[in-house]
Amino acid sequence: MATFIVLLGPPGVGKGTQAKILAETTKLAHVSSGDLFRENLKNQTELGRLAKSFMDKGELVPDDVTISMIRDRITRSDCGAGAILDGFPRTPIQADALEKMLAEFNGEVKAVPFITAPESTLVERASGRWTCREQGHIYHQIFSPPKKIGICDMDGSDLYQRDDDKVEMVTKRIRVYLEQTMPLVEYYRKAGKLLEIDGTQAVEQVTKELLSALYK
Ligand code: ADP
Ligand code: ADP
């Protein structure tokens, strides 16, 4: 059975950072809805143009568009054994759609690590984030700076600050998260899949806690 791990948590808490490490460790694919939207934006696709109007306001892209983008992605062959889902689902409708999709191809949500940190930490992290243009590698100006300012260590492409990582926008996205995504905490808790992880620790500590919760 294909194994899917859903990383749940507010903007800036460290989902992307941990998803990349987990994907390496587990050999599962890393599927980030935010990265997929940004790729579409960069390639100026129709989906990218549609998503931009919502992303620019810090709002969620409508469920139907998001769900069909994820369906396309997780039916690709590299997700045959499963994937680390980072940023999806973000609403109860998306979570229901995921259950249906996985039932179709013999997959299941195995666990849902829920990473948390206080709002001040989220703002500090997101507003200092630098993202790699080519592949979305993640840096922080203070907590994990690149070797050379403005250049990605991994692929040499330039680093940029996401428009939605300006402080006011981060605050708005946290509000949207509290309103629309928080219900998923109870959804997955009831399903017995929620694993609460303290996201305030250093990256390595968070990874340790994640791995021991997942494989205990
Ligand atoms: P974060 O760092 O806040 O977790 P993401 O890169 O996951 O940011 O998301 C950036 C933006 O992309 C969101 O503000 C939203 O507009 C859009 N987005 C990403 N994932 C989803 C989703 N599952 N449903 C709707 N919109 C999404
Ligand atoms: P998310 O995907 O949840 O929005 P990211 O993984 O992109 O979060 O991390 C947001 C920012 O915080 C990035 O700049 C990243 O380098 C930094 N970061 C991630 N985890 C930690 C951590 N445990 N301690 C300090 N900074 C972190």
Side-chain angles (χ1 to χ4, degrees):
M1 180 170 282
T3 298
F4 288 78
I5 294 169
V6 169
L7 291 188
L8 192 59
V13 77
K15 299 180 300 298
T17 301
Q18 297 298 330
K20 285 178 195 296
I21 301 171
L22 272 185
E24 284 267 314
T25 320
T26 59
K27 304 291 172 214
L28 296 173
H30 172 205
V31 172
S32 155
S33 45
D35 283 357
L36 289 170
F37 283 129
R38 280 183 290 278
E39 237 173 78
N40 275 281
L41 238 72
K42 190 171 73 179
N43 298 332
Q44 303 189 343
T45 67
E46 200 181 318
L47 170 62
R49 271 190 290 276
L50 189 149
K52 186 176 189 314
S53 58
F54 296 93
M55 293 170 83
D56 282 351
K57 288 185 282 184
E59 290 169 7
L60 295 184
V61 180
D63 283 332
D64 54 345
V65 195
T66 305
I67 291 164
S68 81
M69 174 181 78
I70 292 293
R71 167 182 279 281
D72 285 353
R73 178 66 190 87
I74 66 179
T75 44
R76 278 195 237 153
S77 61
D78 65 328
C79 294
I84 312 292
L85 299 183
D86 158 18
F88 180 92
R90 249 175 162 99
T91 65
I93 291 177
Q94 294 180 14
D96 285 336
L98 177 64
E99 291 298 314
K100 289 208 186 86
M101 270 184 243
L102 296 186
E104 271 173 47
F105 51 87
N106 196 30
E108 65 161 356
V109 172
K110 181 174 175 255
V112 182
F114 170 43
I115 313 176
T116 54
E119 179 154 346
S120 55
T121 305
L122 306 176
V123 173
E124 190 181 28
R125 288 187 184 170
S127 61
R129 168 163 50 195
W130 287 88
T131 303
C132 137
R133 185 88 60 190
E134 263 329 296
Q135 299 183 62
H137 295 118
I138 304 162
Y139 298 85
H140 189 280
Q141 57 186 20
I142 299 161
F143 306 130
S144 61
K147 292 200 184 82
K148 229 171 129 188
I149 292 175
I151 306 287
C152 177
D153 294 348
M154 316 282 273
D155 61 28
S157 71
D158 67 316
L159 302 179
Y160 72 103
Q161 187 187 32
R162 285 166 43 182
D163 286 337
D164 61 352
D165 276 343
K166 310 261 155 66
V167 174
E168 322 74 64
M169 284 291 278
V170 175
T171 316
K172 164 94 187 271
R173 283 158 55 214
I174 294 172
R175 225 176 329 124
V176 168
Y177 161 83
L178 291 173
E179 285 164 12
Q180 304 192 47
T181 308
M182 271 304 269
L184 291 187
V185 173
E186 283 318 309
Y187 179 104
Y188 286 119
R189 199 196 303 278
K190 276 196 194 123
K193 294 183 174 170
L194 203 74
L195 306 171
E196 294 186 55
I197 307 290
D198 173 10
T200 60
Q201 315 168 88
V203 171
E204 299 72 24
Q205 273 311 115
V206 178
T207 305
K208 230 181 187 176
E209 201 177 315
L210 260 173
L211 289 173
S212 70
L214 283 170
Y215 299 105
K216 68 171 178 286

